Amino acid sequence: MKAAQLPNAEERLRDLLAAHSTIKLATAAPDAEPWIATAYFAAQGPYCLSFMLEGGGHTLTNMKANPRVALMVENGDAMALFAQAEGRATVVEGAEARFRDAIAAKTPASAPLVGMPGLVAVRVDVTRWRLTDVPGGWLPARELRPTALEALSP
């Protein structure tokens, strides 16, 4: 991959994250049983995403047992730009109001859902994004990883 392509790929990733209110979030139970959910999110940059998840839900239960997750941002059109990612999920105690406010500010329609009682603040630190844009010639996908500084930022 040429170095000149990376800024364009990261800019397009930022635009994609800003344009979407929800993200697909895949987890696995301790017995490796897969699970996928759709959740509202907010991004603190392309490598740190915030979620509010149901405290007793399947997704959070899986994350606590196995923090490795997969993500996908797409609009249902395989020919449009889409992104897939790998990351690690962490419950962030005491961040419920901050995460709820960030998600509701990004997507006001989410406010009733992310404001429900019993939700838990979860951060996903993305370790790798893969962006695919078939008409743009990004097949195979463009891969992005956080810099050392981004990897250390919460």
Side-chain angles (χ1 to χ4, degrees), residues 12-26 36-39 41 43 46 49 51 70-78 80-86 106 126 129-133:
R12 292 199 58 203
L13 173 60
R14 287 177 187 275
D15 291 346
L16 187 69
L17 292 172
H20 285 78
S21 57
T22 61
I23 199 166
K24 306 283 190 292
L25 181 58
I36 191 163
T38 300
F41 75 100
L49 308 177
F51 300 88
L71 307 163
M72 186 169 191
V73 183
E74 52 88 30
N75 70 1
D77 178 358
L81 176 69
F82 66 91
Q84 299 162 285
E86 300 168 1
K106 178 181 181 198
V126 175
W129 280 106
R130 291 180 49 86
L131 278 72
T132 302
D133 181 0

Side-chain angles (χ1 to χ4, degrees), residues 37-131:
T38 300
Y40 288 107
F41 75 100
Q44 295 82 51
Y47 302 101
C48 184
L49 308 177
S50 303
F51 300 88
M52 293 297 295
L53 299 177
E54 185 181 354
H58 214 67
T59 303
L60 187 63
T61 300
N62 286 355
M63 285 178 170
K64 286 180 176 179
N66 176 5
R68 294 178 61 207
V69 299
L71 307 163
M72 186 169 191
V73 183
E74 52 88 30
N75 70 1
D77 178 358
M79 296 303 284
L81 176 69
F82 66 91
Q84 299 162 285
E86 300 168 1
R88 295 191 69 80
T90 306
V91 171
V92 184
E93 301 289 338
E96 292 79 11
R98 183 168 44 97
F99 282 23
R100 178 182 60 245
D101 292 349
I103 295 166
K106 178 181 181 198
T107 309
S110 72
L113 180 61
V114 299
M116 292 177 62
L119 299 183
V120 175
V122 175
R123 182 184 76 232
V124 171
D125 296 305
V126 175
T127 55
R128 178 175 72 146
W129 280 106
R130 291 180 49 86
L131 278 72

